[in-house]
Amino acid sequence: MIPTTREAPADAEMPSHIYLVRAGYIRRVGAGIYNYLPLAWRSLRKISQIVREEMDAAGASELLMPTLEPIELFAGTKRDVDYGDLLFRVEDRHGRLAALGPTHEEVITDLMAGALTSYKQFPLNLYQIQTKFRDEARPRAGLLRCREFIMKDAYSFHLDLDGDAGLNATYDKMYQAYTNIFRRCGLDFSAVEAEAGPIGGSASHEFMVNCVNGEDTILVCPASGYAANVEKAEIGEREWTWDHAATEPVKKHHTPNMPGIEGVAEHLGVTPAQMLKSIVMRTTGKDPRWVVAVVRGDHEVNEGKVRDAVGAPVELAPEAEARKAGFAIGYVSPRMIDRVELTMVVDPDAVNGSAWATGSDEKDHHDTGFNWQRDLSAAIDAGKVTVAGIRNAEAGDPSPRAAGSLLEARRGIEVGHIFKLGTKYSDAMGLSVLDKSQQKRSVIMGCYGIGVSRTLAACVEMSHDDHGIVMPPAIAPYHIHIVTIKPEEDGTLDRARALAAELAARGLDVLIDDRDERPGPKFKDADLVGIPVRLTVSPKSLAEGAAEFKLRADAGKGDLVPLSEVVDKAESAILERMMP
RNA sequence: CAGGGCGUAGCUCAGCUUGGUAGAGCGCGUGGUUUGGGACCACGAGGUCGCAGGUUCAAAUCCUGUCGCCCUGACCA
C-alpha cells in the first residue's frame, strides 16, 4: 500500500504536503484530517520510539489519557472560553458536552489532585503520545497544520523551583531530552526563547526545524548564539532623543479610505519609515485604561512588549468603543494624548525624526511635518510619554546580547515547545499537597510538547529535492530499498530476496520493490519515497556478482558493489548516518 | 470571520459564456510488442456532473438555497 502518484493533489502547495501525498505516505480524508498510510506510520512510530527512549531516559513515565474530555474540566481554568472555537465540542445522547482534547493540562491536573498525596512523591514527570484535536480556523499545508494530529505531551510536578526535585531541574532535563530527540531524528533545528502564550506560564523555549518555508520567523545573533522567536526577541540598545528641531510645518492632507500605511505613504509621497503608526489598545480586566502604542510605520507593535512597558496586560481596543472615546481609528496620531486620558508608549525608532507623517485624528485625513518636540512638548515635558522598545525585532536590528552585532532572521517550523507553567492549573483546580512543615502548597507544573506528526512533515520540508523526499535514516520508514530490474529473469527476484533477508538479519528495515514494472517507474518511486540507501539488483548486476549501491542523498546512478560486500556497506552507511 | 476561487472518471483537468448523445491526459484491466530513469499498439471497464429545489419540451450548463474544499488575511500548542 504505497500509492505513489505522478501528479500532485490540487490542494497541495508546500513540498512536504506534495511529496508525502505523491510518495504514498498520507492521503487526505477531510480538511486537516489525514490517513497515515504504512510508510507514514512506520516513520511516525520511529519518531515516537525515539521520543519514548529519551523521555524514559529523562525519568518520565508514559501513560495514556482519554481523547474525550468533559467540558467541566475546562470550565475550571476558563480555557473553554480562552480556547474558544479552537476547541472541538461534542455532545452526547444526554446533551452533555465534552471536548476532543486539544491538550491535557486539565485532565492530568485533575488526575493528580486525586492521586498526589505527599511531597515525598516529587518530582513527577508523565507523558503520553496521543491524537490531539484543534478546530483550526484554517487547516493547511498537509500535516503541518491539521485539525487532528499526533502529539507527545508531558507534564511535570514539583513543590519547588530549585533543587533536584524542582521545576528548573526537570525543565533543563527536558531541554536536553528535546535536543537529543531532534538530533537523533536527524533534523536541523534551533532552540529559541519564546513567549509562553495562552497556555500560561513564565518561561519557555521552542524547538524549530530550520527551513526556508517555515511558518515562523526566528531571530538569531550570530555573535552570541542568542535565538528567539519574533514575539519574544529583544532588541539591543537604540539611541533616541526628543531633541529634533522641526523642519516642516504641519500640513493636512485629504486621504480618503486610506487607513493602511502603504496606501497613505504612497499618496503622501513618503516611505512607511517616515510615518508613525499609532495603535489604540487598552488594558484588560476591570477598569480598562486606554493605551496608545506608537511605532514607526514600517514596524509592528508587539503586544507582549507593550504589556511589559505599561505594566499590565493589554489588548487591541475594540473598534467601536475606541471610536466612541474619540479615536479616529485608522487616522490616530500621538496628539490624542492631549484630548483623551491615556498612557502613551513610543518605540525609540519612532522618536528619532524631525518631520513625521501621521494621522490627523480625523477620518480620511493625514498630516505631514509632525514634530514631537514642537507639537507635543507639553505632554513630553510633563513626563507623560514613555519611550520603550515595543515593536517586533527584525533582521538588522542590534543584538541584545552582543554589542555591534546585528540580528539575522530565519524561518522555521515549530516541532517542540517546553513551558514552565507555575501554579496556574494547580491553583485553578485545587492541586496541592502538604509539605514537610505541614503547610499546604500549590504544586508547580511544567509542560512539554512535541508535534510528532508535524515533525514528519517538517523533516520532509527540510530534506527534499526535485525528485522527492530525502529521509534521514533514523526516521525513514525503511533503511534499505531494494529495486529489482527484470525480477523474473535469471532468478533475480530470489537473489534480491536473499539479500533482503541478510540485511534484515542485521536488524535493518528493508523494502523490496518486486513489482512487474519497467525500471523507470521503479526508480522514480524510489526517489519519491526517499529511503536512504537504494540497492538495485538486476540480471546485469548479478552477472558481475554485484548489486548497485546508491545513497538517496547522492546524485548519479551509484556504484556496483560485490554481493559479498554490499550487506556490510549498506549496514555501515546506515549506522554512520544514525545519530547516537 | 473577511476577501477570492473551486466541486465533472481513482488523479489532474476541459466542457458551462450561447441549454440538446458525458470528454481528454494520466492511472486501471485484457492481449501483444517492449525492459536501466514515469514505453508503444489494440481493445476495455469506470461518472447520481457535490446535494436539494426551481426555470424549461430539455439542465453539467441558467436561477435559488445548501454542503464540502482550496488560497490570502485575521487567528494559531
Side-chain angles (χ1 to χ4, degrees), chain A residues 402-413:
Chain A
S405 178
L406 301 181
L407 292 174
E408 293 172 4
R410 291 191 198 150
R411 307 287 285 176
I413 297 169

Side-chain angles (χ1 to χ4, degrees), chain A residues 8-240:
Chain A
D11 59 4
E13 298 212 322
M14 295 191 57
S16 65
H17 189 184
I18 293 171
Y19 286 137
L20 284 172
V21 174
R22 283 196 54 205
Y25 282 69
I26 60 172
R27 280 286 169 96
R28 197 177 72 88
V29 177
I33 311 171
Y34 286 86
N35 285 315
Y36 304 116
L37 306 187
L39 286 182
W41 189 236
R42 288 186 69 96
S43 273
L44 291 170
R45 276 166 51 202
K46 290 191 174 187
I47 295 169
S48 301
Q49 184 54 31
I50 291 172
V51 168
R52 286 196 171 96
E53 287 172 15
E54 294 296 333
M55 290 302 293
D56 290 349
S61 305
E62 186 171 0
L63 82 173
L64 186 62
M65 289 178 273
T67 292
L68 221 43
E69 304 182 22
I71 202 83
E72 294 78 38
L73 278 180
F74 286 92
T77 53
K78 295 209 188 69
R79 284 216 302 175
D80 54 335
V81 178
D82 289 351
Y83 255 106
D85 291 336
L86 211 53
L87 200 61
F88 260 110
R89 289 156 214 269
V90 294
E91 190 179 330
D92 69 14
R93 65 172 72 197
H94 304 293
R96 288 182 299 229
L97 283 176
L100 296 178
T103 172
H104 284 73
E105 278 83 5
E106 283 81 4
V107 178
I108 198 151
T109 306
D110 182 63
L111 170 70
M112 287 303 163
L116 265 180
T117 51
S118 162
Y119 70 92
K120 295 173 191 166
Q121 292 168 297
F122 294 116
L124 267 174
N125 193 356
L126 299 163
Y127 75 97
Q128 65 173 347
I129 295 175
Q130 230 253 24
T131 299
K132 297 288 160 93
F133 297 84
R134 283 182 203 167
D135 194 358
E136 290 286 348
R138 188 144 86 77
R140 70 183 101 181
L143 253 34
L144 282 177
R145 183 162 298 280
C146 281
R147 295 199 294 170
E148 174 174 340
F149 55 97
I150 299 173
M151 176 167 157
K152 187 277 316 187
D153 49 326
Y155 308 90
S156 72
F157 303 87
H158 319 266
L159 219 44
D160 303 292
L161 289 174
D162 300 317
D164 286 350
L167 170 64
N168 293 338
T170 297
Y171 187 87
D172 292 346
K173 266 191 194 169
M174 285 295 104
Y175 186 99
Q176 187 56 48
Y178 274 42
T179 303
N180 296 345
I181 287 166
F182 295 123
R183 200 195 63 236
R184 282 182 60 187
C185 285
L187 299 172
D188 171 25
F189 68 99
S190 308
V192 309
E193 292 180 19
E195 274 283 321
I199 205 163
S202 53
S204 89
H205 284 85
E206 288 174 349
F207 290 78
M208 316 276 293
V209 170
N210 301 316
C211 67
V212 287
N213 263 324
E215 281 189 305
D216 301 305
T217 301
I218 62 178
L219 292 148
V220 299
C221 164
S224 63
Y226 173 79
N229 69 13
V230 176
E231 287 73 42
K232 175 76 177 180
E234 302 159 35
I235 304 175
E237 200 67 30
R238 284 168 287 163
E239 300 277 330
W240 63 273

Side-chain angles (χ1 to χ4, degrees), chain A residues 321-491:
Chain A
E321 289 181 46
R323 280 187 207 283
K324 212 190 299 173
F327 294 100
I329 296 297
Y331 306 90
V332 175
S333 92
R335 286 162 298 193
M336 284 306 287
I337 197 170
D338 294 331
R339 314 222 310 235
V340 176
E341 178 73 27
L342 58 81
T343 304
M344 181 171 291
V345 192
V346 186
D347 188 77
D349 291 319
V351 171
N352 294 322
S354 50
W356 293 98
T358 174
S360 300
D361 296 314
E362 182 183 333
K363 186 169 161 47
D364 294 340
H365 289 83
H366 281 82
D367 289 353
T368 52
F370 172 82
N371 178 274
W372 287 103
Q373 197 181 43
R374 179 190 63 201
D375 302 324
L376 223 58
S377 57
I380 291 171
D381 293 343
K384 285 163 74 179
V385 182
T386 309
V387 176
I390 53 165
R391 66 169 175 90
N392 285 343
E394 293 178 351
D397 284 334
S399 163
R401 296 288 186 277
S405 178
L406 301 181
L407 292 174
E408 293 172 4
R410 291 191 198 150
R411 307 287 285 176
I413 297 169
E414 182 188 354
V415 290
H417 202 156
I418 58 179
F419 300 87
K420 292 181 184 176
L421 284 179
T423 58
K424 173 178 167 154
Y425 292 95
S426 34
D427 283 341
M429 305 185 68
L431 172 59
S432 61
V433 295
L434 292 182
D435 68 11
K436 224 170 192 168
S437 49
Q438 301 287 298
Q439 296 297 305
K440 189 170 173 178
R441 301 258 304 271
S442 286
V443 172
I444 296 170
M445 293 171 57
C447 88
Y448 319 92
I450 289 180
V452 174
S453 47
R454 180 185 273 189
T455 297
L456 174 60
C459 169
V460 175
E461 207 59 56
M462 181 200 85
S463 181
H464 65 268
D465 61 20
D466 291 345
H467 302 289
I469 302 171
V470 183
M471 274 286 175
I475 63 173
Y478 295 91
H479 299 122
I480 316 283
H481 191 159
I482 296 181
V483 174
T484 59
I485 306 289
K486 298 184 188 166
E488 71 288 352
E489 281 185 26
D490 304 338

Side-chain angles (χ1 to χ4, degrees), chain A residues 286-298:
Chain A
K286 260 191 258 175
D287 302 324
R289 288 178 290 134
W290 295 112
V291 174
V292 172
V294 184
V295 297
R296 217 169 69 188
D298 57 330

